[in-house]
Amino acid sequence: MKKALAYIVPITFCFLLGYVAGRLQAYSVEHWYPLLEKPSLTPPNWVFPVAWGILYLFSGIPAGLAYTRAGIARCGLITLWTIQQFFNFTWSITFFMFENPVLGFINIVILDALVIIYAIRVWRVSHAASVLFWPYICWILFASYLNLYIMLHN
């Protein structure tokens, strides 16, 4: 049961953060975001919750793998994982709730670095944990591009 909780807790945490962020940004997503000039590569709105649902799993499972396999490195990896989750959450606040693409971009650049560092560091403990983070890395780098475009064109 303890091993199962090592996976259930971070996955649930990711979905909970995503739910709270979604609630906090809902007004801006409906009233502010549609008015922005966005790049032609911007996906339709329905893609975001689908992608994030998958990415929450792909983010939570590596935390479980790190927790169950990391030994002495466990504390550092879990701390790094938690910090990048914080920046993931606060991006929604800075970009949408504050309606501030500049603060959002600063936040997401920090998030990009933290997620890449996590994927590199967790590789030593679990290749699978690192590989599961790769789609997350790709998605937030794409989100960084979208954020930068919005910041520069609005």
Side-chain angles (χ1 to χ4, degrees), residues 4-138:
L5 283 175
Y7 294 91
I8 293 168
V9 169
I11 291 169
T12 304
F13 181 74
C14 289
F15 277 98
L16 181 61
L17 282 181
Y19 173 78
V20 172
R23 302 294 299 158
L24 291 173
Q25 71 189 26
Y27 180 84
S28 291
V29 168
E30 186 176 334
H31 299 283
W32 172 71
Y33 185 70
L35 303 175
L36 299 175
E37 183 178 336
K38 296 177 273 308
S40 60
L41 292 177
T42 302
N45 285 346
W46 66 265
V47 170
F48 293 96
V50 172
W52 277 112
I54 295 164
L55 293 172
Y56 291 147
L57 285 173
F58 284 16
S59 182
I61 293 169
L65 288 167
Y67 184 82
T68 58
R69 297 183 186 175
I72 198 161
R74 176 184 304 151
C75 185
L77 286 171
I78 296 303
T79 299
L80 182 57
W81 182 87
T82 304
I83 293 168
Q84 66 81 26
Q85 286 295 319
F86 170 79
F87 276 92
N88 185 319
F89 177 77
T90 58
W91 178 82
S92 294
I93 304 304
T94 57
F95 184 85
F96 284 108
M97 204 170 142
F98 295 165
E99 297 179 358
N100 191 324
V102 174
L103 283 178
F105 188 70
I106 293 166
N107 188 299
I108 204 166
V109 167
I110 295 168
L111 176 61
D112 292 339
L114 290 169
V115 171
I116 291 168
I117 291 167
Y118 181 83
I120 291 168
R121 289 194 180 164
V122 81
W123 178 266
R124 299 177 199 138
V125 174
S126 169
H127 293 342
S130 181
V131 170
L132 283 169
F133 246 57
W134 296 355
Y136 180 38
I137 292 168
C138 292

